[in-house]
Amino acid sequence: MNNWQTVSDFVIFSTKGITPNYVESSSILVLNQKCIRNGTINYSFAQFTDDTKQIQQSKFVQKGDILVNSTGTGTAGRCAFVSDLPENHKLTVDSHILILRCNSFFEAQCLSYSLFSFEKTLMSFMTGSSGQSELDKVVLMNLKTKIPKDEETQQKIASVLSALDSKIELNNRINAEFEAMAKTMYDYWFVQFDFPDKNGKPYKTSGGKMFWNEELKREIPEGWEVNKIEHILRTSLGGTPSTTVKEYWDLGKICWLNSGEIANFPIIDSELKITDAAIKNSATNLLPKGSVMLSITRHLRPSILGVDACANQSVVGIYEKGDIKSYFLYPYLKNEIPRLMAMRSGAQQPHINKEVVDESLILTPPLKSGILKQYNNHVGCYYDLIINNAFQNQKLTELRDWLLPMLLNGQIMVN
């Protein structure tokens, strides 16, 4: 094995991306900061740029490149390896992303794993104001790492780590399918109102009685009820324990979420942990797993707790009650997001208040009808499998991160 080397010893070329002129569709796809998360590329946030204008060839991404977010508080330092390219499109990045290129595919893959292990450290190496923070490229290039020199060993290490990543990605795709299936059933039953009637036929399509509801401005099934959330469910606004009291944070084991972490679905962990004393002496509350969380600042998102957790004041929690479970509340809130986004106020931190959530109208079937219980029996297994897969991914990630330094240092050999 070699001695410590710097990132610059492996990088033969680096460049920032373009300043794109976005269009509806073209032959060139542009990645932005949102596309890079957890060491992978999420193409759902990518956009198209005008392909009638000349772009330097060096600005196009190649297979085997490493992409590093270079600006943004909380995003600078995120990195991803380009294991493959999209079909039918050229790929580039915007000016907030740095492209790193190495001598070989497997050398780059090993370096990307090493950089990914430094992500939190990289996020601290930023210059500029909080609003325009930028990753210090000199610091990045001088980071030290150990990577074997021979390509065969690089390939073996990369194959072990990428096999774990492939399983993680497979679980993510399975979870996306399960979520989509559960959402389809929710919409079929509670938006289109084709839940099974007493004869097992779709209610509305089979001529089930519908009545106009003035509050919702639409027809709803006979006997269904419209209530404000606060009248039938318990909600809770989070809070922040004093950061100057060490006993609230040191050796904490209870998850404490910020609004950005609600983007994780389901929620099974948090970056920061607090103690029981923090809960007793602050405005935050402990919500049981199964509760639905809603971020109410900037990007409004719902998620489901897979663990007991607390949150800050930018998050509202909704407790399950009887047959009104997360399986029903989560897709309900996803459908409500466009309306809630339109109700945000505030220029610097657009947000809604807890009162907006409390006063939101929710439509439920009569509890004695058994419709919710029947629905829960159908979709509950999907959500349970999603949470199980998320925990499995957590273990796989821990194994990958544990193996990485020992593989690079030669403490573990791959035959």
Side-chain angles (χ1 to χ4, degrees), residues 149-314:
K149 293 181 179 180
D150 64 289
E151 187 170 346
E152 182 180 357
T153 304
Q154 292 171 1
Q155 184 174 357
K156 288 179 178 179
I157 291 173
S159 66
V160 170
L161 299 176
S162 62
L164 294 171
D165 277 340
S166 294
K167 176 56 178 169
I168 291 171
E169 180 56 30
L170 176 61
N171 282 346
N172 288 336
R173 291 200 301 271
I174 291 172
N175 279 359
E177 289 294 327
F178 283 153
E179 184 184 354
M181 292 165 66
K183 177 67 163 56
T184 297
M185 181 168 285
Y186 172 88
D187 288 342
Y188 190 68
W189 284 37
F190 302 112
V191 179
Q192 301 173 39
F193 304 125
D194 270 333
F195 54 91
D197 65 12
K198 60 183 180 180
N199 298 313
K201 296 181 178 180
Y203 181 85
K204 185 177 180 180
T205 301
S206 300
K209 290 184 179 180
M210 304 289 291
F211 291 89
W212 179 259
N213 181 270
E214 188 60 31
E215 291 177 293
L216 296 180
K217 305 296 183 185
R218 65 173 301 187
E219 287 189 329
I220 64 173
E222 181 181 28
W224 285 40
E225 299 176 351
V226 178
N227 290 287
K228 292 181 179 180
I229 283 180
E230 64 182 344
H231 291 162
I232 62 171
L233 295 167
R234 180 186 171 194
T235 62
S236 172
L237 181 67
T240 302
S242 173
T243 56
T244 62
V245 181
K246 288 188 175 182
E247 69 170 306
Y248 295 169
W249 302 91
D250 289 355
L251 304 178
K253 296 181 180 180
I254 302 166
C255 289
W256 182 81
L257 305 161
N258 60 51
S259 61
E261 290 176 305
I262 308 304
N264 300 321
F265 173 76
I267 298 167
I268 60 169
D269 203 0
S270 64
E271 182 177 353
L272 298 176
K273 306 287 196 302
I274 60 175
T275 63
D276 287 322
I279 298 174
K280 293 176 182 177
N281 296 285
S282 74
T284 196
N285 294 294
L286 183 65
L287 285 92
K289 62 181 179 180
S291 301
V292 175
M293 311 298 277
L294 177 69
S295 58
I296 59 173
T297 302
R298 288 194 179 275
H299 303 290
L300 311 187
R301 305 182 182 94
S303 191
I304 298 175
L305 287 182
V307 293
D308 298 347
C310 300
N312 71 9
Q313 58 273 18
S314 294

Side-chain angles (χ1 to χ4, degrees), residues 71-126:
T71 62
T73 303
T75 59
R78 289 180 183 174
C79 58
F81 179 68
V82 184
S83 58
D84 215 339
L85 294 171
E87 295 182 4
N88 305 319
H89 289 95
K90 290 184 176 180
L91 186 65
T92 187
V93 296
D94 70 15
S95 58
H96 299 289
I97 297 177
L98 187 65
I99 302 173
L100 305 181
R101 194 162 295 153
C102 299
N103 284 298
S104 71
F105 181 90
F106 294 111
E107 180 179 87
Q109 196 169 16
C110 287
L111 179 60
S112 73
Y113 278 116
S114 183
L115 289 177
F116 184 58
S117 70
F118 296 148
E119 261 197 3
K120 289 184 180 179
T121 304
L122 289 174
M123 288 181 184
S124 67
F125 294 149
M126 295 187 294

